[in-house]
Amino acid sequence: MSLKKVLIAGPISDFGGREIEVKNIANALADDFDVDLLSTIPMTKDSVVLKASRFNKWSTIDKKIYSSNFFIRLTSITCKLFYGRKEPAYRLIGNKINHRFFVFNQKYLETLKAEITKYEAVIFCCELTTKWLEEVIEICKAYNKTLIVRTTGTIKSIPNTIKSLLVDIDSIIIHSTNNLNKLLEISKNGANTILIDQTTLIEEDLINIEISENNKQLTYGYLGRFSKEKGIIELLRSFEKLDKKLVLAGSGPLLHKVTEFSENNDNIKYLGELQSKALIDFFVNIDVLVIPSFEEAGPLVGIEAMAAGKLILSTRVGAMMDRLKRTKNQFWFDINKDESLMDVISEIECFSSETRIEARRELRKIYKVEYSKNVISNKYLNLIKNTIKNKKHQVS
């Protein structure tokens, strides 16, 4: 008996939170479904989605358009050779010659429709403001295809065109109560929504980190993007006034400011953009993860800290209140107020080492029970199986 065909689609690139979530979903379905991947934006074989995955069937819409039209292939190859471009020829389909002869929005729409009709179900991973979401909903409705939308990012608003189509989505997956409440506030209808949080791709390494305190002074850590909404500059300004160790890892538009702070303060150390073992070493060498963000959907690093058994000092953002609500880890601060951060650091450091270790073990236990790879995979698998089954009953 052949497996049901499922398409996972969306603006999927090489690395990011959405890509990690796509990989988790695809791996969860690999045994029970025939899974393909289609990106609406450029993606390469080096994508984190494909590394150590249980599937390798993927494409992008530009590759599909390139393969299906001889003239587009010819002009794209010509542009690549003439201009000495390094990227694959299919990435050059939007050249000036092709734009004279083709309306590319129409080409994209035709390709989306042709691909979607091959599958029993579509899982579209995107923000609710993402281009092509409206068209995907309408195509799935017209052809009676099961549609599951996995939202990413913080829900702030929903376009009116999408708002009216939400009822046509069979299931909407959201990973924080904050986002769920915002969706309900806007749409007034949550019958097709379900909450499934994140898990980590490096679970085994993180849960094997020893939970202990070897130093008299706690080390605080930040891991993530260096951008305005992450509160990174406010965090650095606060730590300039503290005699506390802060290590930072990541990259982003504010990297130059982060390196400037680290060069001028002995207690602030920038480690670079970490991969593989260096990422595990980051968690080994910190005691407390700091999440200073003004805005978050997750963040994934919060889940990773729980698996690693690290205390979490956070603003009230994203899914963090959900994740920590039943724990002793209630270390919240306001990134706009220096004294707020200082007060909560004092609170953490007033506890005995034994009390902190107990709280860290509790966080790891919560991770294993509620957010482990197996738990999250089973939630995805059960939801998708049930959604497809319910769709069949509705159609029949």
Side-chain angles (χ1 to χ4, degrees):
M1 182 178 175
S2 60
L3 297 176
K4 292 181 176 67
K5 290 175 67 66
V6 172
L7 178 67
I8 303 177
I12 304 157
S13 58
D14 282 2
F15 187 82
R18 181 182 297 123
E19 286 66 36
I20 291 171
E21 210 55 46
V22 166
K23 182 173 182 174
N24 284 330
I25 295 171
N27 283 339
L29 305 185
D31 287 335
D32 295 80
F33 295 94
D34 183 6
V35 180
D36 288 350
L37 181 71
L38 179 69
S39 178
T40 58
I41 62 174
M43 170 186 165
T44 75
K45 61 181 176 56
D46 296 321
S47 174
V48 67
V49 180
L50 303 173
K51 292 179 179 177
S53 291
R54 301 176 62 195
F55 73 105
N56 58 12
K57 293 183 292 180
W58 69 279
S59 190
T60 64
I61 290 187
D62 53 2
K63 283 182 75 173
K64 293 286 183 181
I65 293 172
Y66 174 86
S67 300
S68 66
N69 189 290
F70 174 77
F71 183 82
I72 289 176
R73 279 203 306 281
L74 180 62
T75 58
S76 302
I77 293 170
T78 302
C79 284
K80 176 178 171 65
L81 295 174
F82 185 80
Y83 292 107
R85 300 286 287 270
K86 294 182 179 180
E87 63 262 54
Y90 67 80
R91 293 281 298 277
L92 304 174
I93 64 171
N95 59 68
K96 291 180 180 179
I97 299 172
N98 285 339
H99 271 290
R100 289 181 185 177
F101 293 95
F102 302 99
V103 179
F104 270 85
N105 272 352
Q106 186 61 34
K107 274 286 177 191
Y108 267 68
L109 182 57
E110 290 169 0
T111 305
L112 262 178
K113 184 184 293 185
E115 292 303 308
I116 287 172
T117 54
K118 298 175 185 177
Y119 297 86
E120 182 159 357
V122 176
I123 303 169
F124 203 69
C125 298
C126 64
E127 295 188 11
L128 293 179
T129 53
T130 294
K131 186 175 183 180
W132 303 117
L133 175 57
E134 179 182 347
E135 290 81 0
V136 168
I137 296 172
E138 290 174 341
I139 294 168
C140 288
K141 183 180 180 182
Y143 290 90
N144 288 321
K145 302 297 181 180
T146 301
L147 174 61
I148 297 165
V149 172
R150 180 15 169 123
T151 64
T152 58
T154 303
I155 297 176
K156 298 177 183 176
S157 62
I158 303 174
N160 287 331
T161 51
I162 297 297
K163 198 185 304 183
S164 63
L165 294 173
L166 290 177
V167 294
D168 296 319
I169 301 172
D170 296 290
S171 289
I172 301 174
I173 304 172
I174 295 175
H175 72 269
S176 76
T177 301
N178 270 353
N179 266 355
L180 179 59
N181 290 339
K182 189 65 178 179
L183 180 67
L184 295 177
E185 176 190 327
I186 296 170
S187 69
K188 311 299 182 186
N189 185 352
N192 57 348
T193 58
I194 187 166
L195 195 65
I196 300 179
D197 206 334
Q198 297 169 292
T199 188
T200 173
L201 296 176
I202 52 174
E203 174 180 286
E204 186 175 350
D205 290 318
L206 292 176
I207 62 177
N208 284 328
I209 293 174
E210 181 184 359
I211 296 178
S212 62
E213 288 186 8
N214 299 317
N215 302 313
K216 291 182 179 179
Q217 186 178 20
L218 296 180
T219 299
Y220 297 82
Y222 172 93
L223 174 64
R225 181 171 168 77
F226 301 149
S227 53
K228 186 177 179 181
E229 76 279 3
K230 299 293 187 178
I232 183 64
I233 301 304
E234 289 80 1
L235 177 68
L236 288 166
R237 286 173 181 155
S238 292
F239 265 85
E240 264 193 325
K241 303 169 188 175
L242 296 167
D243 186 22
K244 309 292 179 187
K245 290 182 181 178
L246 175 68
V247 294
L248 307 105
S251 188
L254 297 178
L255 174 60
H256 64 291
K257 290 192 176 182
V258 171
T259 54
E260 186 179 311
F261 271 98
S262 66
E263 288 166 359
N264 294 318
N265 191 309
D266 291 339
N267 285 328
I268 298 175
K269 184 178 181 181
Y270 172 57
L271 303 177
E273 191 171 6
L274 307 182
Q275 302 289 335
S276 306
K277 187 179 182 301
L279 188 59
I280 306 304
D281 289 341
F282 169 85
F283 282 105
V284 168
N285 292 315
I286 69 166
D287 299 291
V288 183
L289 177 79
V290 186
I291 301 172
S293 305
F294 293 100
E295 175 189 314
E296 285 286 357
L300 177 60
V301 69
I303 286 288
E304 292 173 335
M306 293 176 73
K310 302 299 176 179
L311 294 179
I312 301 170
L313 198 168
S314 180
T315 52
R316 295 182 183 272
V317 289
M320 293 313 301
M321 291 85 77
D322 298 341
R323 295 165 178 174
L324 301 175
K325 64 184 176 184
R326 292 187 300 278
T327 73
K328 297 181 183 70
N329 192 122
Q330 298 299 312
F331 307 122
W332 307 103
F333 71 102
D334 183 342
I335 189 58
N336 288 309
K337 299 177 181 177
D338 282 348
E339 66 274 15
S340 173
L341 178 61
M342 294 175 187
D343 287 348
V344 77
I345 286 177
S346 295
E347 181 184 355
I348 290 172
E349 299 196 352
C350 279
F351 289 121
S352 67
S353 176
E354 290 76 15
T355 301
R356 287 193 295 264
I357 287 173
E358 182 184 349
R360 290 169 60 179
R361 286 176 178 152
E362 180 190 45
L363 287 173
R364 179 175 285 170
K365 182 178 178 181
I366 293 286
Y367 170 82
K368 289 180 177 179
V369 171
E370 298 188 19
Y371 305 106
S372 71
K373 193 186 302 181
N374 283 341
V375 169
I376 299 301
S377 292
N378 285 333
K379 285 184 177 182
Y380 275 127
L381 184 59
N382 292 333
L383 170 70
I384 291 159
K385 281 183 173 180
N386 290 334
T387 305
I388 292 174
K389 184 178 178 181
N390 291 338
K391 183 74 167 185
K392 275 188 173 180
H393 287 162
Q394 291 171 12
V395 173
S396 59

